[in-house]
Amino acid sequence: MTARTVLVVAFFCEAGALMGPIAMQGLSMLEPDADADAVEASDIGPSRPGPRGAKYMFLTMTSPSDKLPLQIMLPHQLRQVTQDPPSSMDVVVIQNHLDRDCGSPQDSFLDTIRSQRYPWLRVKEVDYPGVLDDEKFLSRHWVFLNDAGGRNMTVRKLPITSGNDTHELTNVAGMLTAMESCLDAEDSVELCLYMDPDIFVHRREKGHALLELASDVFASHPELAVLLPPTLCDAGHYLVGDGVCNLLIPPLTALSQRHLIFHRQRLRDRLPFKATLDKLEGAYVGSFENMNTHYLSDAPVPAAGLMRCGAETVAVHPPAGHEGTLSFTQQLAALAVYGPDKRSIPGFDDDLAKGSQVLVDRMEAGAFKSDLSIVEVAMELTNLGPYTDGCLGMRAKKEHIDAGLAF
């Protein structure tokens, strides 16, 4: 192991030690009658696939660098992405911990998921030896036309790291593991939604939820294999009629790995993605985004679209902390002032834990700027507006938070 790799691992270990163990609270917050979903340990093992007949798979990924408690964010996301109970889906949490000796503030929650043996909710660890060094694993997903060995490339051999920095390597390993989980789902699964654990979601009360909307869009567009969720810039109007979203094809932006909706069968039909190695590099954030964007969005016949669903539903990134705005940590601290009675989460700073709960409440209530004019949308799209980060993320300001808004 190189010196630099040791430093990376040491950082994660130190961070985990500082955060300490989590005193786990149950999964009852997932839905009001979650106890009904619990089963006896003798009934099922933790590795069993999701509920039979599930139409949707929901995937998220946790790592030692997570800022937000998964026991707050996972229930929030599951409540917002479908009109059905969360237990109707096959829910998979990818545990992307390269060094399992390093602690993570999420570990106790993940252990509780395992011990409860829910038939619809499971943890899947990244199989690093298989993912990083197995030629067959990578060739199932990506094949490189200028690889002299044809299909002899492995994830570890990809020219994607800077020096010995393992961040990009583990990111690709985690995302390909999520994609593999989708491919290997039961035949009943139509759509797979991957969402980072710090993405906030809003859906209109009694309106259409993200996965149901996406299913209708895919049915109307058989050429598409992947969709991006709606952004903040579309939040100023409601759908009419049958509730089918408009589309932007191609999305004219990166296929952000932070939230992707795959049509499982169409994804299988298109794999492996074939490209030259230079397509791993580009203007987007990381090799996975660059490869997907090149193959699915920039193709002569695009297979990707951006959903435009008005105020029915939006998915929002945390703030990047532009000049004159709050960083994510500052935003959560400002929100925590309005949640003194919110519960603490051992292992997480109180401002982060309580602030995230207030932010969830406000996002679910639709407490954000949504009546953007055409001129304002144009400014937001060019990253010059005061409310969003290019329509995708929050631009948090204290005066907005003090006025009761999410950001």
Side-chain angles (χ1 to χ4, degrees):
M1 182 179 288
T2 67
R4 184 156 184 185
T5 303
V6 170
L7 287 174
V8 171
V9 171
F11 170 78
F12 285 154
C13 288
E14 183 179 359
L18 288 173
M19 291 177 179
I22 292 180
M24 186 54 224
Q25 304 187 39
L27 292 170
S28 60
M29 73 290 288
L30 286 171
E31 55 181 306
D33 60 346
D35 288 343
D37 291 311
V39 294
E40 296 296 327
S42 59
D43 291 342
I44 191 169
S47 61
R48 173 182 167 177
R52 291 192 177 278
K55 184 177 182 180
Y56 305 126
M57 172 178 279
F58 179 92
L59 301 122
T60 190
M61 185 158 55
T62 178
S63 72
S65 59
D66 288 349
K67 287 187 176 181
L68 301 181
L70 197 61
Q71 55 263 59
I72 300 299
M73 293 305 299
L74 182 61
H76 158 63
Q77 292 174 338
L78 296 182
R79 286 194 300 268
Q80 297 297 294
V81 301
T82 180
Q83 296 161 207
D84 296 326
S87 57
S88 67
M89 296 186 289
D90 185 0
V91 181
V92 183
V93 179
I94 305 296
Q95 187 173 13
N96 196 358
H97 296 186
L98 181 59
D99 192 322
R100 293 294 286 118
D101 291 333
C102 296
S104 165
Q106 311 284 25
D107 282 350
S108 292
F109 183 66
L110 298 178
D111 288 343
T112 297
I113 292 176
R114 293 186 180 95
S115 67
Q116 293 293 329
R117 301 183 179 222
Y118 289 86
W120 55 277
L121 172 62
R122 55 200 164 97
V123 178
K124 180 175 182 177
E125 295 184 22
V126 176
D127 173 21
Y128 289 104
V131 172
L132 296 180
D133 299 311
D134 186 346
E135 298 167 1
K136 292 182 179 179
F137 175 84
L138 182 60
S139 65
R140 184 185 187 189
H141 302 277
W142 297 348
V143 170
F144 295 96
L145 303 178
N146 56 343
D147 171 19
R151 292 174 177 259
N152 293 334
M153 183 64 72
T154 66
V155 173
R156 194 186 298 274
K157 294 177 183 176
L158 293 174
I160 58 176
T161 59
S162 175
N164 291 311
D165 187 352
T166 59
H167 172 76
E168 182 64 9
L169 195 67
T170 56
N171 178 69
V172 170
M175 292 306 300
L176 290 179
T177 297
M179 186 180 291
E180 182 185 48
S181 300
C182 175
L183 297 174
D184 293 340
E186 288 194 351
D187 290 342
S188 62
V189 172
E190 174 194 353
L191 305 184
C192 301
L193 167 59
Y194 173 82
M195 189 168 282
D196 272 356
D198 60 353
I199 296 295
F200 292 82
V201 189
H202 166 76
R203 76 176 176 97
R204 181 168 65 94
E205 186 178 5
K206 299 181 180 178
H208 303 273
L210 179 58
L211 282 166
E212 285 77 18
L213 288 166
S215 182
D216 289 341
V217 169
F218 278 120
S220 301
H221 292 270
E223 77 279 13
L224 297 182
V226 62
L227 291 171
L228 292 178
T231 73
L232 285 165
C233 286
D234 291 317
H237 64 278
Y238 294 95
L239 297 179
V240 295
D242 61 5
V244 176
C245 301
N246 294 319
L247 275 178
L248 184 61
I249 304 175
L252 302 180
T253 184
L255 292 183
S256 173
Q257 71 169 53
R258 292 173 62 70
H259 42 42
L260 290 166
I261 309 168
F262 288 109
H263 189 286
R264 191 175 72 89
Q265 186 56 53
R266 296 177 197 174
L267 176 65
R268 293 184 71 169
D269 291 343
R270 288 179 171 271
L271 289 175
F273 295 171
K274 297 178 181 179
T276 53
L277 283 167
D278 62 291
K279 299 304 180 184
L280 292 169
E281 302 176 358
Y284 306 122
V285 182
S287 304
F288 189 84
E289 274 190 18
N290 282 308
M291 187 69 167
N292 279 2
T293 303
H294 165 72
Y295 194 83
L296 294 172
S297 186
D298 296 343
V301 179
L306 169 64
M307 297 171 64
R308 306 187 69 182
C309 304
E312 297 297 309
T313 185
V314 294
V316 189
H317 301 194
H322 292 281
E323 184 177 355
T325 65
L326 302 178
S327 68
F328 193 26
T329 300
Q330 292 169 333
Q331 177 193 14
L332 294 175
L335 287 162
V337 172
Y338 296 94
D341 297 329
K342 296 292 186 184
R343 61 191 179 99
S344 298
I345 306 292
F348 288 88
D349 181 87
D350 241 20
D351 280 350
L352 299 183
K354 294 185 176 185
S356 64
Q357 292 170 73
V358 176
L359 183 52
V360 162
D361 290 345
R362 293 188 179 187
M363 282 300 304
E364 292 189 3
F368 51 86
K369 175 78 170 176
S370 61
D371 55 345
L372 298 176
S373 68
I374 294 177
V375 173
E376 287 175 320
V377 167
M379 292 182 65
E380 299 296 338
L381 283 169
T382 55
N383 221 13
L384 298 175
Y387 303 109
T388 77
D389 185 5
C391 294
L392 297 174
M394 311 172 186
R395 285 205 177 192
K397 295 186 177 182
K398 189 174 186 304
E399 56 266 33
H400 294 170
I401 291 171
D402 292 340
L405 299 180
F407 53 91

